[in-house]
Amino acid sequence: VAERHERWGDHLLNAHSRVLPFGDVRLEEPSFLRPVDDTKSFAGRVYEPAAFHEWQRSVLALGDDSHTLRASSLVQVARPVTIHAEYRCWMVNDRVVTASLYKRGATVFSSADVPEQIVSYANERAREWSPHEAYVMDIAETPDGLRIIELNTLNAAGFYAADVQKLVMALED
Protein backbone atom coordinates (compact mmCIF):
# COMPACT_ATOMS: atom_id res chain seq x y z
CA VAL A 1 0.00 0.00 0.00
CA ALA A 2 2.78 2.44 0.89
CA GLU A 3 4.53 1.86 -2.44
CA ARG A 4 1.30 2.50 -4.39
CA HIS A 5 0.80 5.76 -2.49
CA GLU A 6 4.42 6.78 -3.00
CA ARG A 7 4.26 6.08 -6.75
CA TRP A 8 0.73 7.23 -7.57
CA GLY A 9 0.00 9.81 -4.84
CA ASP A 10 -2.99 11.97 -5.79
CA HIS A 11 -3.93 9.57 -8.59
CA LEU A 12 -5.39 7.33 -5.86
CA LEU A 13 -9.07 7.92 -5.14
CA ASN A 14 -8.51 7.97 -1.38
CA ALA A 15 -4.98 9.41 -1.26
CA HIS A 16 -6.22 11.69 1.51
CA SER A 17 -7.38 8.78 3.72
CA ARG A 18 -6.09 7.71 7.11
CA VAL A 19 -5.63 4.19 8.45
CA LEU A 20 -6.68 3.71 12.07
CA PRO A 21 -7.62 0.90 14.43
CA PHE A 22 -11.41 0.47 14.34
CA GLY A 23 -11.68 1.25 18.06
CA ASP A 24 -9.91 4.62 17.59
CA VAL A 25 -12.16 5.97 14.83
CA ARG A 26 -14.03 9.15 15.79
CA LEU A 27 -16.25 10.60 13.07
CA GLU A 28 -17.39 14.22 13.11
CA GLU A 29 -18.84 14.21 9.59
CA PRO A 30 -20.03 11.57 7.12
CA SER A 31 -17.00 9.47 6.16
CA PHE A 32 -16.13 6.53 3.93
CA LEU A 33 -14.81 3.52 5.87
CA ARG A 34 -13.58 0.15 4.70
CA PRO A 35 -11.52 -2.66 6.27
CA VAL A 36 -7.85 -2.57 5.30
CA ASP A 37 -7.49 -6.36 5.31
CA ASP A 38 -9.48 -8.49 2.91
CA THR A 39 -11.62 -9.95 5.70
CA LYS A 40 -14.96 -8.66 4.35
CA SER A 41 -15.78 -7.95 8.01
CA PHE A 42 -17.97 -5.07 6.83
CA ALA A 43 -18.85 -3.36 3.56
CA GLY A 44 -16.99 -0.22 2.63
CA ARG A 45 -19.42 2.69 2.47
CA VAL A 46 -20.19 6.18 3.75
CA TYR A 47 -21.21 6.19 7.43
CA GLU A 48 -23.05 8.93 9.30
CA PRO A 49 -21.27 9.74 12.61
CA ALA A 50 -24.10 8.88 15.04
CA ALA A 51 -24.98 5.59 13.31
CA PHE A 52 -21.30 4.63 13.03
CA HIS A 53 -20.56 5.27 16.72
CA GLU A 54 -23.62 3.26 17.81
CA TRP A 55 -22.50 0.34 15.61
CA GLN A 56 -18.88 0.73 16.79
CA ARG A 57 -19.97 0.55 20.45
CA SER A 58 -21.97 -2.63 19.79
CA VAL A 59 -19.02 -4.27 17.99
CA LEU A 60 -16.54 -3.31 20.70
CA ALA A 61 -18.90 -4.64 23.40
CA LEU A 62 -18.56 -8.12 21.85
CA GLY A 63 -14.84 -8.24 22.64
CA ASP A 64 -12.12 -9.69 20.44
CA ASP A 65 -12.90 -13.40 20.64
CA SER A 66 -16.14 -13.79 18.71
CA HIS A 67 -15.75 -12.04 15.35
CA THR A 68 -13.34 -10.80 12.67
CA LEU A 69 -13.85 -7.09 13.40
CA ARG A 70 -11.97 -6.05 16.52
CA ALA A 71 -10.90 -2.81 18.19
CA SER A 72 -7.42 -3.35 16.69
CA SER A 73 -8.67 -4.09 13.15
CA LEU A 74 -7.25 -1.50 10.77
CA VAL A 75 -9.76 0.52 8.77
CA GLN A 76 -9.34 3.17 6.10
CA VAL A 77 -11.20 6.43 6.77
CA ALA A 78 -11.68 9.03 4.04
CA ARG A 79 -13.91 11.91 3.07
CA PRO A 80 -16.63 10.82 0.64
CA VAL A 81 -15.85 11.28 -3.06
CA THR A 82 -18.50 11.54 -5.78
CA ILE A 83 -17.98 8.83 -8.38
CA HIS A 84 -19.74 9.23 -11.73
CA ALA A 85 -18.59 5.92 -13.25
CA GLU A 86 -16.32 2.97 -12.44
CA TYR A 87 -14.25 1.00 -14.93
CA ARG A 88 -12.20 -2.17 -14.63
CA CYS A 89 -9.03 -2.52 -16.71
CA TRP A 90 -7.26 -5.86 -17.08
CA MET A 91 -3.54 -5.13 -17.19
CA VAL A 92 -0.93 -7.46 -18.67
CA ASN A 93 2.68 -6.33 -19.03
CA ASP A 94 1.89 -2.69 -18.19
CA ARG A 95 -0.96 -2.20 -20.65
CA VAL A 96 -4.72 -2.56 -20.79
CA VAL A 97 -5.72 -5.67 -22.75
CA THR A 98 -9.47 -5.34 -22.14
CA ALA A 99 -11.72 -3.08 -20.08
CA SER A 100 -15.31 -2.74 -18.93
CA LEU A 101 -17.58 -0.12 -17.45
CA TYR A 102 -19.14 -1.76 -14.38
CA LYS A 103 -20.98 1.01 -12.58
CA ARG A 104 -22.56 4.33 -13.56
CA GLY A 105 -23.49 6.36 -10.50
CA ALA A 106 -25.11 3.95 -8.05
CA THR A 107 -26.25 1.56 -10.81
CA VAL A 108 -24.29 -1.58 -11.64
CA PHE A 109 -24.12 -1.46 -15.40
CA SER A 110 -21.72 -3.48 -17.58
CA SER A 111 -20.58 -2.24 -20.96
CA ALA A 112 -17.58 -2.86 -23.17
CA ASP A 113 -17.86 0.75 -24.37
CA VAL A 114 -14.91 2.26 -22.46
CA PRO A 115 -13.63 5.74 -23.40
CA GLU A 116 -10.06 5.93 -24.69
CA GLN A 117 -9.17 8.35 -21.90
CA ILE A 118 -9.79 5.57 -19.34
CA VAL A 119 -7.49 3.18 -21.21
CA SER A 120 -4.81 5.87 -21.64
CA TYR A 121 -4.98 6.80 -17.96
CA ALA A 122 -4.59 3.16 -16.85
CA ASN A 123 -1.68 2.65 -19.26
CA GLU A 124 0.08 5.79 -17.97
CA ARG A 125 -0.30 4.68 -14.34
CA ALA A 126 0.97 1.16 -15.21
CA ARG A 127 4.07 2.63 -16.86
CA GLU A 128 4.75 4.50 -13.62
CA TRP A 129 4.45 1.37 -11.47
CA SER A 130 2.86 -2.09 -11.55
CA PRO A 131 2.55 -4.59 -8.72
CA HIS A 132 2.55 -7.67 -10.99
CA GLU A 133 2.68 -8.70 -14.64
CA ALA A 134 -1.10 -9.26 -14.64
CA TYR A 135 -3.75 -7.63 -12.44
CA VAL A 136 -6.87 -5.47 -12.59
CA MET A 137 -6.99 -1.72 -12.03
CA ASP A 138 -10.32 -0.08 -11.19
CA ILE A 139 -10.65 3.54 -12.32
CA ALA A 140 -13.17 6.12 -11.06
CA GLU A 141 -14.47 9.05 -13.05
CA THR A 142 -14.86 11.86 -10.45
CA PRO A 143 -15.56 15.62 -10.52
CA ASP A 144 -11.80 16.06 -9.97
CA GLY A 145 -10.78 13.78 -12.85
CA LEU A 146 -9.82 10.13 -13.11
CA ARG A 147 -8.55 8.29 -10.03
CA ILE A 148 -7.43 4.74 -9.21
CA ILE A 149 -9.97 3.08 -6.93
CA GLU A 150 -8.05 -0.12 -6.25
CA LEU A 151 -5.99 -2.96 -7.70
CA ASN A 152 -6.86 -6.62 -7.50
CA THR A 153 -5.66 -9.99 -8.67
CA LEU A 154 -7.16 -11.48 -11.83
CA ASN A 155 -8.72 -14.39 -9.96
CA ALA A 156 -10.57 -12.10 -7.51
CA ALA A 157 -12.22 -9.80 -10.05
CA GLY A 158 -15.52 -10.08 -11.90
CA PHE A 159 -15.33 -9.93 -15.69
CA TYR A 160 -18.37 -7.72 -16.37
CA ALA A 161 -18.24 -6.91 -20.13
CA ALA A 162 -14.53 -7.67 -20.61
CA ASP A 163 -13.32 -9.47 -23.72
CA VAL A 164 -12.13 -12.62 -21.96
CA GLN A 165 -10.61 -14.00 -25.16
CA LYS A 166 -8.32 -10.94 -25.42
CA LEU A 167 -7.31 -11.43 -21.80
CA VAL A 168 -6.52 -15.13 -22.30
CA MET A 169 -4.52 -14.36 -25.47
CA ALA A 170 -2.49 -11.68 -23.66
CA LEU A 171 -1.78 -14.04 -20.77
CA GLU A 172 -0.68 -16.79 -23.16
CA ASP A 173 1.66 -14.39 -24.98
Side-chain angles (χ1 to χ4, degrees):
V1 172
E3 186 163 3
R4 279 185 292 215
H5 193 270
E6 181 181 306
R7 302 288 180 136
W8 286 331
D10 289 339
H11 289 289
L12 298 171
L13 180 67
N14 290 315
H16 59 277
S17 68
R18 298 173 296 137
V19 173
L20 302 166
F22 178 75
D24 293 350
V25 175
R26 303 292 176 263
L27 301 185
E28 295 179 13
E29 59 190 6
S31 299
F32 174 82
L33 274 84
R34 70 176 293 278
V36 169
D37 293 331
D38 192 23
T39 60
K40 306 291 185 198
S41 56
F42 67 95
R45 65 177 181 91
V46 175
Y47 290 85
E48 293 293 330
F52 171 77
H53 291 298
E54 182 179 323
W55 172 58
Q56 182 187 46
R57 278 191 296 280
S58 67
V59 169
L60 297 178
L62 295 173
D64 286 349
D65 296 330
S66 62
H67 50 85
T68 59
L69 184 57
R70 300 178 164 89
S72 60
S73 299
L74 295 179
V75 296
Q76 182 180 25
V77 182
R79 73 182 183 321
V81 176
T82 299
I83 298 176
H84 300 302
E86 299 179 37
Y87 300 87
R88 176 156 296 157
C89 299
W90 285 263
M91 313 298 294
V92 177
N93 294 325
D94 300 336
R95 69 179 182 85
V96 175
V97 295
T98 187
S100 174
L101 168 69
Y102 65 88
K103 197 172 184 185
R104 184 163 309 284
T107 305
V108 174
F109 175 80
S110 296
S111 171
D113 186 21
V114 175
E116 181 54 40
Q117 70 179 18
I118 302 298
V119 173
S120 295
Y121 182 83
N123 285 335
E124 288 172 30
R125 301 294 75 79
R127 283 192 296 273
E128 293 167 354
W129 180 75
S130 284
H132 304 288
E133 289 180 38
Y135 59 99
V136 295
M137 179 187 296
D138 289 352
I139 306 291
E141 196 176 289
T142 77
D144 297 321
L146 301 177
R147 298 289 185 268
I148 299 169
I149 300 171
E150 67 179 348
L151 306 181
N152 229 320
T153 59
L154 295 180
N155 61 339
F159 290 107
Y160 302 109
D163 185 331
V164 178
Q165 185 172 358
K166 280 185 182 178
L167 176 59
V168 170
M169 298 296 285
L171 291 169
E172 286 183 352
D173 288 345

